[in-house]
Amino acid sequence: MAKKAKQPKKSPKPQPKGKGGESVRILISGARLQRRIKEMAREIRKDFPGEPLHLVGVLKGAVFFLTDLGKQMPGEVSFDFIAVASYGQGTHSSGQVRLTRDLDSSIEGKTVIVVEDILDTGMTLQYLLRVFEQRKPKRIRVAVLLDKPERRIAAVHADYVGFTIPNEFVVGFGLDYAERYRNMPDVGVLSLGTKDEGRKS
Ligand code: IMP
Ligand code: MG
């Protein structure tokens, strides 16, 4: 006997805010991301030939970017991770940054490449750079996959930028909205749909 096709479950309750009408429009395909990341890895290595590079990824958004960047980078490379919290469940930053997980090892005397998913207001990087500079690295450079310069508040700059994007909320390739969409292989613009259109504060 043929099995009955599964029906989507009907929920009598209203959907969690934002989830119902959400849609994602692809902005940068996975293939484009990979091509650019390969170029960035070569660019960084060219600037520091023969030097051990210590990649410090900002969890969790930078995970895919760091792993792909690391794979494309010849020579001696080590990794570490740090985690900060700046965004809640919405699409607007509170402006406050707090360290939620510190590095495993010292960065003293190392050439550190801070690897971040996106540079938005700049508050996160400004905070991290202050923390790192106190720890006496040999030098620090910043690599970001995406840059949204229109929203900058803090005077920070990235040495390596994958793509400059317009002022839209993006998800995918590590970037999330309320912890979802990180696993998308592309970067896309999220729209919250009619009911929840507009940013949360
Ligand atoms: P900033 O402190 O405002 O520069 O924000 C940096 C952090 O906010 C990033 O590391 C992301 O985690 C998050 N963020 C900023 N813009 C977006 C976005 O468009 N989509 C998803 N996360 C974002
Ligand atoms: Mg981040």
Side-chain angles (χ1 to χ4, degrees), residues 15-200:
Q15 289 292 310
K17 214 178 175 195
K19 224 171 180 177
E22 280 170 33
S23 60
V24 179
R25 171 174 56 84
I26 306 275
L27 185 67
I28 310 165
S29 72
R32 264 184 88 199
L33 290 169
Q34 293 304 326
R35 278 198 300 273
R36 182 70 189 119
I37 291 170
K38 195 170 181 175
E39 283 173 6
M40 292 176 83
R42 288 188 182 152
E43 211 182 314
I44 296 169
R45 178 44 87 198
K46 224 173 104 202
D47 288 347
F48 306 102
E51 220 178 293
L53 294 176
H54 191 58
L55 306 188
V56 169
V58 186
L59 292 172
K60 301 170 225 173
V63 164
F64 295 148
F65 177 39
L66 183 141
T67 53
D68 288 339
L69 192 70
K71 279 184 282 185
Q72 299 294 343
M73 204 173 271
E76 194 178 326
V77 172
S78 52
F79 301 157
D80 204 346
F81 293 94
I82 196 160
V84 288
S86 61
Y87 268 70
Q89 296 274 301
T91 56
H92 258 195
S93 172
S94 61
Q96 285 174 341
V97 183
R98 116 192 113 83
L99 199 70
T100 56
R101 181 211 184 270
D102 206 345
L103 299 172
D104 285 338
S105 57
S106 164
I107 56 168
E108 194 174 333
K110 294 181 183 171
T111 296
V112 173
I113 313 288
V114 181
V115 180
E116 175 60 312
D117 52 2
I118 186 165
L119 180 50
D120 187 24
T121 64
M123 300 299 285
T124 307
L125 266 176
Q126 185 181 57
Y127 169 84
L128 284 175
L129 291 173
R130 275 191 197 139
V131 170
F132 293 153
E133 266 149 21
Q134 286 166 7
R135 300 182 184 185
K136 302 184 176 65
K138 184 174 175 190
R139 54 171 88 88
I140 307 183
R141 295 291 182 275
V142 173
V144 298
L145 182 63
L146 307 171
D147 184 11
K148 261 200 268 188
E150 280 173 61
R151 293 212 345 124
R152 198 81 81 251
I153 295 170
V156 287
H157 112 109
D159 303 283
Y160 308 95
V161 174
F163 298 87
T164 300
I165 62 166
N167 182 13
E168 305 213 63
F169 194 82
V170 289
V171 292
F173 206 77
L175 290 138
D176 75 306
Y177 174 62
E179 292 302 323
R180 291 178 289 116
Y181 301 104
R182 288 195 199 275
N183 58 322
M184 263 177 51
D186 319 288
V187 168
V189 175
L190 176 74
S191 36
L192 295 178
T194 46
K195 257 202 310 187
D196 298 294
E197 199 73 74
R199 301 276 167 91
K200 294 171 184 177

Side-chain angles (χ1 to χ4, degrees), residues 1-19:
M1 217 188 260
K3 274 189 183 167
K4 220 176 156 189
K6 277 190 181 163
Q7 296 292 318
K9 278 185 192 156
K10 277 187 192 157
S11 165
K13 288 187 224 143
Q15 289 292 310
K17 214 178 175 195
K19 224 171 180 177

